Amino acid sequence: MTRRTQADRSAATRSALVAAGRRLFAEHGFAAVGTEAIVAEAAVSRGALYHHFADKTELFAGVLEAVEAGITDTIATAALTGDDLTFGAVMTRAFDAWLDACEQPDVQRILLTDGPSVLGWTRWRAILQPYVMTLIESSLLQGIADGSVVDLPARPLAHALIAVGEEAALYIASADDREVARQEMSVVIERLLTALVAP
């Protein structure tokens, strides 16, 4: 019982730190947030911070992973919501949910802006990919198996679709007119997905 209570306390402290980090990093950016502000926001000691994370960068990595996990859950739910469960419809809803998520200021700042610069592109990608890769590759494999998707190697095709999603989000985020950019990108993505539907 004591061990379980300690584990619960430890998990609660970690969650508080990640939540505080997310709020502060989203509002101010990684560089402008000090560890003093983080522990004050989380209402924990500095020792608690360093017990769970080696430094501020490691906390940021934890925040990034939490953001990505939440987005992936949202995408999976949106993709499978609706009567049309064909590959094209599922993937269109998935891309729409991803681009919707990227409209959120905290996602833009943490995931798209600070993520690659704070952690480096290789580590940023390594944290994000397992979540979305599983989602996309499983959809592709199912579509290839039932004949609704062209018979191409699923893993490299999943990588290509991930690249499309990432570049689409960055393109929209940096556009002068995001609404127009989103409309343009949606047309492009829909055309690309259509090309993957088996004749």
Side-chain angles (χ1 to χ4, degrees), residues 60 105-118 124 170 173:
F60 181 83
D106 61 336
V107 173
Q108 283 185 15
R109 172 77 76 134
I110 293 167
L111 206 67
L112 302 177
T113 303
D114 282 355
S117 61
V118 171
W124 172 74
L170 292 170

Side-chain angles (χ1 to χ4, degrees), residues 75-126:
I75 291 171
T77 300
L80 299 175
T81 299
D83 296 330
D84 189 349
L85 295 179
T86 61
F87 172 80
V90 167
M91 290 304 297
T92 296
R93 290 194 295 266
F95 271 101
D96 283 343
W98 161 246
L99 295 178
D100 285 344
C102 291
E103 295 284 340
Q104 300 169 22
D106 61 336
V107 173
Q108 283 185 15
R109 172 77 76 134
I110 293 167
L111 206 67
L112 302 177
T113 303
D114 282 355
S117 61
V118 171
L119 300 175
W121 187 82
T122 300
R123 188 172 182 203
W124 172 74
R125 187 169 176 264

Side-chain angles (χ1 to χ4, degrees), residues 7-67:
D8 288 345
R9 274 197 222 123
S10 180
T13 298
R14 191 181 194 284
S15 294
L17 285 163
V18 169
R22 181 170 183 163
R23 286 190 296 273
L24 292 170
F25 294 144
E27 185 176 351
H28 305 290
F30 176 83
V33 177
T35 55
E36 300 86 354
I38 294 167
V39 296
E41 178 79 7
V44 301
S45 68
R46 182 182 292 275
L49 170 63
Y50 292 116
H51 173 75
H52 290 277
F53 301 98
D55 53 26
K56 186 176 77 164
T57 300
E58 290 307 306
L59 171 60
F60 181 83
V63 169
L64 182 77
E65 186 167 4
V67 171

